[in-house]
Amino acid sequence: MIENDNKLTPIIELNGITKEYCAKATFFSKGYTSVMALDNINLAIQKGDIFGLVGQSGSGKTTLGRLLLKLESPTKGIMKFNGKSINDLKGKGLKTYRSKVQMIFQDPYQSLNPHLSIAETILEPLIVNKIGDHNSRKEKAIETLDTVGLTPGKEYYDRYPHQLSGGQRQRVAIARAIVLDPEFIVADEPTSMLDATIAIQLFKLLQQIKEKYNMTFFFITHNLAAAKYLCNKIAVIHNGIIVENGPSDQVIQHPEHPYTKQLIQAQPKLNF
Amino acid sequence: MAKNHYLERFQKGWKIFILNPLGKTGIILLIIFMLMAISSFFIPLLDPMYDPMTGIDPLIKESMPPSFQHWLGTDNVGRDLFAQLMEGAKVAFIVGLASAFVSIVLGTIIGMISGYVGGITDRILMRAADIIMIMPSLVVLLILASLFGQFNIWIIVFIIAIMRWPAVSRVIRSQALSLKSRPFIEASKVAGASDIRIIFRHILPNVLPLAFLYMTFRVTSAILVEAALSFLGFGDPSQVSWGMMLQWVWKSGHMFQAPYWLLPPGICISLLTLSFYLLGRAMDEVLDPRLRKEEERK
Ligand SMILES: Nc1ncnc2c1ncn2[C@@H]1O[C@H](COP(=O)(O)OP(=O)(O)O)[C@@H](O)[C@H]1O
Ligand SMILES: [Mg+2]
């Protein structure tokens, strides 16, 4: 495994990524206060990984995901995609990059436009990237709905988000993320708003998708058990710092950092 | 299919709306005024003497109280007041709706761009909005009218619209601002959508109900500004309107002699603006966030 890693260029490589949020000076405090959301992050994600990022709320997980999608820029550091820097992407280059990298958001009640039908939501990435024609797009959208378990796809095609359950909405969000056949998907706590049984169904779905399309996943969670279940590699983040990083089994069975040990103790049920 | 969705939403909103006493009163008043406006097209066809502007009853030399021939009486040159009142309803609708429509379109587009794009664009647009907002539209119109002479009714409509978009754009801007960071907008960005697409495809449908609400308030203010302008003698002299009727009562010295001439246009102005105000209030209740949340949850 490790030898293999050395030969291949990682799909995502982060070198010294730092993100500092500045809050403007208030009436009471002179100067500026800043929040160090991410502090000198170094990570490499290999093609085919389901890479888990585990940490408690406020540790900087979402920030890292948003950086990867270029929804935000790092204060310092270099981000590479397939060996090429993506720091300064703009315009067309950014659009191409984003067609290869997609995101599944945390809250399925917020991530779908209530005024757009399921079809319109899933077709949007195909339309704005000018892929296919009217008929082939429709076919692709229905096929993708089938893939994410909303079967038969035709049934769901013309519905609206308010007619779906949370789990179904998240499946639509997954469909939107995979419809462009991206290489890399950031999933930001995709099940934290849903029931445990539905969460497990969605984990299985993500696994199936990963195997079927050989996509690479960056799976963000606050739940070590979920990461253990789903991921082959895990990084543990604490206050914007990666404190532990390695293959899942190693991180869970032989944790080195006290914070990781603490996390494991706090979650005795590590099996699904 | 999209049509069905909007139809469904409209029907849900309509139910809340029509059960609301304010909404019901507003709608009934509005229907009465609409019938009045429609009748204005037919009255002059009965007899050229009933043309609100040019029809003069040859037998009448001074203002007459209501009679069988002239239900509301005549003005001092023998024109039928009922015909003028109906024509005034039509003009009020045209002035109110046209100028509200223009200011809503302007305000919505400017507000969405300002809120979504942010930065320097936002600052320039909102500064412009502030400057226009603090200018009292009636005074500005009076100054312009005294500089350039009397305006055609369409120019008045347009100037009122130009004066009245800023408040709309402020409200729409703050809506756009809060929508901007919603995950579905970011999801669309990640999918590769352009700013124009995000503004018109994702933000517009979400601010549209609010824009409609503001439209009803804008109708009210446009009708009032036009009436005041006409009454003060700066209206379009070739166009009958309620404000113009009041101006004629005043100018011909019948203010205190001919209540049948003075009262109808005054009452109509109040009731029509009231009906749009009631519509707006009822609509506000339909759009009430708590009610909307319930709808979302269903
Ligand atoms: N836009 C922002 N402005 C200022 N601070 C922010 C912003 N976004 C996140 N933060 C701060 O950065 C830290 C990490 O946040 P986040 O990445 O959302 O954590 P997580 O997803 O792990 O819960 C938090 O302290 C949060 O308050
Ligand atoms: Mg988060």
Side-chain angles (χ1 to χ4, degrees):
Chain A
M1 255 304 253
I2 290 165
E3 281 164 21
N4 219 359
D5 284 357
N6 289 340
K7 278 179 212 152
L8 294 167
T9 344
I11 184 164
I12 290 282
E13 203 178 341
L14 304 177
N15 289 322
I17 292 295
T18 298
K19 176 74 188 177
E20 201 176 349
Y21 285 111
C22 304
K24 264 191 195 156
T26 61
F27 185 77
F28 299 104
S29 68
K30 282 198 177 137
Y32 69 96
T33 52
S34 71
V35 182
M36 203 62 142
L38 295 172
D39 191 357
N40 193 23
I41 303 280
N42 296 294
L43 278 183
I45 300 170
Q46 303 297 334
K47 214 167 170 49
D49 275 350
I50 299 192
F51 192 103
L53 181 68
V54 185
Q56 69 194 36
S57 173
S59 55
K61 308 183 297 295
T62 298
T63 306
L64 189 53
R66 290 169 56 82
L67 284 178
L68 287 172
L69 265 297
K70 302 261 329 152
L71 288 168
E72 215 127 8
S73 305
T75 316
K76 258 192 284 181
I78 297 170
M79 305 192 287
K80 284 184 187 164
F81 177 69
N82 287 328
K84 283 191 201 115
S85 165
I86 53 166
N87 278 49
D88 300 320
L89 281 185
K90 272 199 197 88
K92 216 168 171 180
L94 179 60
K95 200 166 165 181
T96 318
Y97 172 68
R98 278 183 174 159
S99 69
K100 295 178 189 159
V101 176
Q102 287 289 309
M103 181 148 181
I104 300 164
F105 292 84
Q106 184 167 8
D107 184 352
Y109 290 89
Q110 294 280 325
S111 68
L112 303 178
N113 187 340
H115 291 280
L116 259 55
S117 72
I118 305 311
E120 289 167 323
T121 295
I122 297 179
L123 288 173
E124 179 162 63
L126 296 172
I127 292 171
V128 298
N129 287 288
K130 300 193 179 67
I131 293 168
D133 57 20
H134 181 80
N135 290 330
S136 73
R137 280 177 202 151
K138 181 166 178 175
E139 228 166 78
K140 175 83 185 170
I142 290 176
E143 183 195 311
T144 312
L145 281 171
D146 283 326
T147 305
V148 298
L150 294 172
T151 44
K154 275 190 207 111
E155 276 278 307
Y156 290 88
Y157 196 73
D158 288 319
R159 293 206 195 167
Y160 280 84
H162 73 268
Q163 299 167 314
L164 303 183
S165 70
Q168 288 173 326
R169 287 182 196 218
Q170 199 57 297
R171 285 175 193 266
V172 173
I174 293 172
R176 171 179 56 196
I178 65 170
V179 74
L180 288 175
D181 294 318
E183 295 175 34
F184 181 65
I185 293 182
V186 175
D188 185 4
E189 308 203 45
T191 61
S192 67
M193 314 294 276
L194 306 169
D195 293 343
T197 47
I198 293 173
I200 293 174
Q201 287 170 12
L202 286 183
F203 291 161
K204 291 201 170 121
L205 173 63
L206 291 179
Q207 251 167 351
Q208 278 166 18
I209 289 171
K210 188 238 152 190
E211 268 150 36
K212 189 164 166 195
Y213 300 101
N214 194 29
M215 288 173 187
T216 307
F217 276 89
F218 186 65
F219 181 74
I220 296 173
T221 180
H222 61 267
N223 186 337
L224 198 56
K228 187 201 170 203
Y229 176 81
L230 203 60
C231 307
N232 60 327
K233 301 221 185 100
I234 291 178
V236 178
I237 186 167
H238 182 49
N239 290 341
I241 298 169
I242 302 272
V243 296
E244 188 111 24
N245 181 7
S248 299
D249 294 340
Q250 185 192 315
V251 169
I252 284 166
Q253 274 150 26
H254 310 287
E256 283 172 11
H257 196 273
Y259 179 70
T260 317
K261 289 179 188 159
Q262 201 184 313
L263 269 186
I264 291 171
Q265 265 161 11
Q267 281 171 336
K269 260 180 59 193
L270 273 181
N271 291 311
F272 267 95
Chain B
M1 274 302 144
K3 242 184 229 155
N4 274 343
H5 164 66
Y6 285 106
L7 203 67
E8 196 185 303
R9 261 166 196 267
F10 176 77
Q11 281 166 344
K12 259 188 205 164
W14 177 252
K15 254 184 225 150
I16 307 174
F17 184 88
I18 203 65
L19 288 175
N20 181 311
L22 297 180
K24 223 184 287 181
T25 318
I27 286 282
I28 291 170
L29 279 174
L30 199 66
I31 289 172
I32 294 172
F33 281 110
M34 274 172 167
L35 292 175
M36 286 170 65
I38 292 168
S39 73
S40 74
F41 289 101
F42 301 108
I43 290 172
L45 301 179
L46 295 176
D47 191 320
M49 141 181 118
Y50 290 128
D51 186 290
M53 199 67 202
T54 57
I56 293 170
D57 189 330
L59 303 175
I60 290 175
K61 295 276 168 293
E62 57 183 345
S63 178
M64 297 293 284
S67 64
F68 183 73
Q69 280 281 317
H70 303 285
W71 292 355
L72 286 179
T74 67
D75 68 4
N76 59 327
V77 289
R79 292 183 297 185
D80 186 74
L81 289 176
F82 184 78
Q84 288 190 350
L85 198 72
M86 301 301 117
E87 178 74 5
K90 181 178 88 186
V91 172
F93 270 106
I94 293 174
V95 168
L97 292 175
S99 109
F101 183 75
V102 174
S103 61
I104 289 301
V105 169
L106 274 177
T108 305
I109 291 176
I110 291 173
M112 288 193 303
I113 292 174
S114 199
Y116 179 74
V117 177
I120 183 97
T121 315
D122 180 33
R123 254 175 293 157
I124 291 173
L125 289 174
M126 284 306 109
R127 187 56 50 85
D130 284 340
I131 291 171
I132 296 174
M133 193 147 45
I134 56 166
M135 297 196 277
S137 25
L138 185 59
V139 175
V140 171
L141 265 165
L142 286 176
I143 293 170
L144 289 175
S146 58
L147 285 178
F148 299 103
Q150 267 152 336
F151 288 128
N152 162 309
I153 189 96
W154 289 110
I155 295 182
I156 294 172
V157 162
F158 185 71
I159 296 175
I160 296 176
I162 291 287
M163 300 296 299
R164 289 308 171 102
W165 64 263
V168 184
S169 74
R170 280 247 164 235
V171 178
I172 299 293
R173 171 184 175 269
S174 68
Q175 273 276 84
L177 215 54
S178 83
L179 285 165
K180 180 181 169 177
S181 56
R182 291 271 289 277
F184 67 79
I185 302 281
E186 297 206 319
S188 169
K189 222 190 259 179
V190 168
S194 64
D195 290 343
I196 299 273
R197 187 184 167 90
I198 290 175
I199 288 174
F200 287 98
R201 184 93 176 127
H202 291 279
I203 295 185
L204 182 61
N206 284 287
V207 300
L208 217 49
L210 200 64
F212 270 119
L213 171 64
Y214 267 75
M215 175 131 178
T216 62
F217 296 139
R218 284 295 159 271
V219 173
T220 305
S221 73
I223 291 173
L224 287 176
V225 169
E226 192 278 335
L229 194 69
S230 298
F231 173 66
L232 294 172
F234 294 92
D236 181 346
S238 67
Q239 185 66 60
V240 177
S241 75
W242 292 334
M244 205 46 105
M245 288 174 76
L246 292 175
Q247 149 79 3
W248 287 328
V249 195
W250 172 256
K251 220 165 82 180
S252 63
H254 286 75
M255 196 77 173
F256 304 105
Q257 282 93 50
Y260 55 87
W261 186 356
L262 172 69
L263 292 179
I267 292 170
C268 283
I269 291 171
S270 315
L271 286 183
L272 182 58
T273 52
L274 176 71
S275 84
F276 275 105
Y277 178 74
L278 292 176
L279 289 184
R281 286 297 307 276
M283 224 190 268
D284 201 13
E285 237 150 276
V286 176
L287 301 179
D288 186 287
R290 266 169 306 146
L291 293 175
R292 273 214 287 184
K293 258 196 203 118
E294 262 162 47
E295 182 201 356
E296 289 276 295
R297 239 180 258 135
K298 256 178 247 163

